[in-house]
Amino acid sequence: MLPPKTPTEASGFKALLKSPQFLFLWTGQVVSQIADKISTVMSIALLTTYNVPIKYAASSSSYLFVATTIPAILFGAAAGIFVDRYPKKKIMVIADIIRGCLILLLPILPKEFAVLLLINFLTSTVTQAFAPAEQSAIPLVVKPENLLTANALFATTSTGSVIVGFGIAPTILGAVTQLGQNGSREILVASLYFIAAGLGQLVKVHEPIDPHHQSQRVNPWRELKVGFYYICDNKLLLSAMLQLAVFSATIAALPVLAVKLTAEVGLKTEEFGFLVAPAGIGLVLGAGIIGHFGNRIQQQSLPLIGFVGMSAVLATFTFVQSLWLGLVCAGILGLGASLVAVPVQTLIQERTPELMRGKVFGFQNNAVNIAVAVPLVLAGSLTERFGLQPVLWGMSFIVTIAGILAWNSTRHVLEDGV
């Protein structure tokens, strides 16, 4: 995806781990994301103690997920406007503090279902500002030759936080609950956000902030159009975002399809996680390999290889009847996903001017959130109507075509720029 770079002594994981600024930023990301996952599990657990109307009781957890998804779709792009105007570090720190304070309100406010939905909605809204600020801050604390490795490490820990966060959350929350103190779970989650804020405060980010630009009145609609037209006019960024959208939609569809695949490989429906976990492991492994060797290989071909690999796995799933083959295929799917996500994210960071990063990453997060929502809504109903195999073949075809077209477009733009 990116032109090959000459390896230097100052590249790779060792160089990053020697940088205090990167360590503070990276560790803060890990703590913050684990807090997000534990907060989600905690909210579901709190449903048993809240007054949930009978008509919402059966789908109460689904309403919680909707409350956290809506802000991602509505405010993802708009949040980037403020990231371009104000210091990224300050936005990240304030976002963590606000999220921690919102969680601390739960033990104080009435135990009503609407209150729980509102807190989750507001917390997710604040998160929309945190995400583009963090993505914009990475190039400010990492040297260009280490950017690919940094994104690989962030992708690794981002996926790892999902596995670890959701995995340890029930145990941790159960242990805290046994203390018998009212609000102990909320205090734990809020403390994690405050720790992340403290780590973010330690990061020294040198960024050009124009005081005149800050003092100008914000015109959200105008600035949104500026960011939108900038992306549309830049074929490289547009192609990269399309690749991320296809990648995200495919990964998001995996849990839904895994539920249907369980019967084919001899698992119970509730054991679908056994097919999802290898994909996360494959993504972590692939990101680690790219981070270590990425600067020594021809990177513009990685996304194409990743898409072809993902497509082949989706097609293979149509006749998988062995559990072990299903686990291997899921792992390969995650490995292929890493070949797309890490180089493409690095490309966007390298090719986006500093003063446009907030808008670009805001639209990127918006596109990814919409791409994730589509398969969650459609995959199940399409499978019920047409069957699992046609849906898998259709997804395999779409991933192949999207990968080839996006890669071909990106390759020509890169060649023209050389």
Side-chain angles (χ1 to χ4, degrees):
M1 189 68 182
L2 300 173
K5 299 175 184 176
T6 304
T8 65
E9 293 182 358
S11 63
F13 289 118
K14 286 186 178 180
L16 287 176
L17 297 179
K18 290 180 180 178
S19 168
Q21 306 311 315
F22 176 80
L23 284 176
F24 291 140
L25 181 65
W26 174 52
T27 308
Q29 177 235 16
V30 173
V31 175
S32 181
Q33 291 201 348
I34 290 178
D36 287 338
K37 308 308 177 290
I38 297 179
S39 177
T40 300
V41 176
M42 180 191 71
S43 295
I44 295 174
L46 287 175
L47 287 171
T48 59
T49 63
Y50 274 64
N51 180 25
V52 181
I54 296 177
K55 61 181 178 179
Y56 301 127
S59 303
S60 56
S61 58
S62 298
Y63 283 107
L64 277 177
F65 285 117
V66 169
T68 58
T69 302
I70 289 177
I73 296 175
L74 294 180
F75 308 127
I81 296 172
F82 299 95
V83 173
D84 284 334
R85 283 178 168 266
Y86 302 102
K88 280 75 174 172
K89 168 183 170 179
K90 184 178 292 186
I91 291 175
M92 289 187 292
V93 171
I94 292 176
D96 278 328
I97 293 174
I98 291 177
R99 289 188 289 182
C101 291
L102 286 170
I103 297 299
L104 287 179
L105 288 176
L106 284 172
I108 304 171
L109 296 173
K111 305 293 184 183
E112 297 291 336
F113 183 48
V115 171
L116 192 59
L117 290 178
L118 178 61
I119 293 297
N120 275 270
F121 178 87
L122 294 175
T123 303
S124 179
T125 300
V126 175
T127 301
Q128 304 317 307
F130 180 90
E134 180 186 64
Q135 291 163 339
S136 300
I138 295 175
L140 298 176
V141 299
V142 174
K143 295 179 180 179
E145 62 267 23
N146 291 327
L147 193 54
L148 184 77
T149 305
N151 279 304
L153 198 54
F154 267 77
T156 301
T157 52
S158 178
T159 305
S161 70
V162 175
I163 300 171
V164 174
F166 285 136
I168 66 175
T171 303
I172 292 179
L173 292 173
V176 170
T177 304
Q178 290 180 358
L179 296 176
Q181 183 178 352
N182 183 36
S184 56
R185 291 178 291 188
E186 291 87 342
I187 292 173
L188 168 66
V189 175
S191 298
L192 290 174
Y193 280 125
F194 294 148
I195 291 172
L199 290 167
Q201 185 63 34
L202 295 174
V203 180
K204 295 180 180 178
V205 180
H206 302 286
E207 54 182 310
I209 298 295
D210 185 357
H212 176 68
H213 185 55
Q214 286 185 351
S215 63
Q216 288 180 334
R217 184 178 179 181
V218 178
N219 187 329
W221 179 243
R222 182 181 65 82
E223 297 209 26
L224 280 174
K225 289 196 295 183
V226 169
F228 179 76
Y229 288 128
Y230 178 80
I231 294 171
C232 291
D233 292 338
N234 191 316
K235 293 181 179 179
L236 190 62
L237 292 180
L238 183 60
S239 175
M241 286 194 183
L242 289 175
Q243 292 180 65
L244 282 180
V246 173
F247 146 79
S248 301
T250 305
I251 295 299
L254 181 60
V256 181
L257 298 174
V259 172
K260 304 295 182 180
L261 282 167
T262 51
E264 303 293 330
V265 297
L267 292 173
K268 298 177 181 178
T269 301
E270 61 269 22
E271 295 176 326
F272 75 94
F274 283 110
L275 288 174
V276 176
I281 295 172
L283 203 155
V284 170
L285 179 62
I289 294 173
I290 294 172
H292 190 70
F293 298 106
N295 290 328
R296 309 175 192 177
I297 56 181
Q298 193 77 10
Q299 294 167 29
Q300 66 252 40
S301 61
L302 291 180
L304 178 62
I305 296 172
F307 276 121
V308 171
M310 293 169 69
S311 174
V313 167
L314 290 170
T316 303
F317 270 137
T318 60
F319 58 82
V320 167
Q321 293 182 332
S322 164
L323 175 58
W324 286 108
L325 181 57
L327 297 177
V328 170
C329 286
I332 295 174
L333 182 69
L335 185 63
S338 69
L339 299 183
V340 177
V342 176
V344 170
Q345 185 63 61
T346 303
L347 173 70
I348 295 174
Q349 288 174 336
E350 288 192 334
R351 297 301 180 108
T352 304
E354 165 60 28
L355 295 178
M356 289 297 297
R357 280 183 182 148
K359 298 183 187 68
V360 169
F361 290 131
F363 273 106
Q364 174 191 311
N365 290 333
N366 216 28
V368 167
N369 288 326
I370 293 173
V372 167
V374 169
L376 292 177
V377 173
L378 296 180
S381 58
L382 290 176
T383 303
E384 291 292 337
R385 182 171 181 179
F386 300 106
L388 180 60
Q389 288 191 345
V391 171
L392 287 170
W393 279 113
M395 288 184 60
S396 176
F397 177 76
I398 292 172
V399 169
T400 300
I401 297 302
I404 292 175
L405 292 177
W407 172 80
N408 192 53
S409 172
T410 303
R411 178 172 59 87
H412 287 313
V413 173
L414 286 173
E415 288 175 351
D416 292 342
V418 174

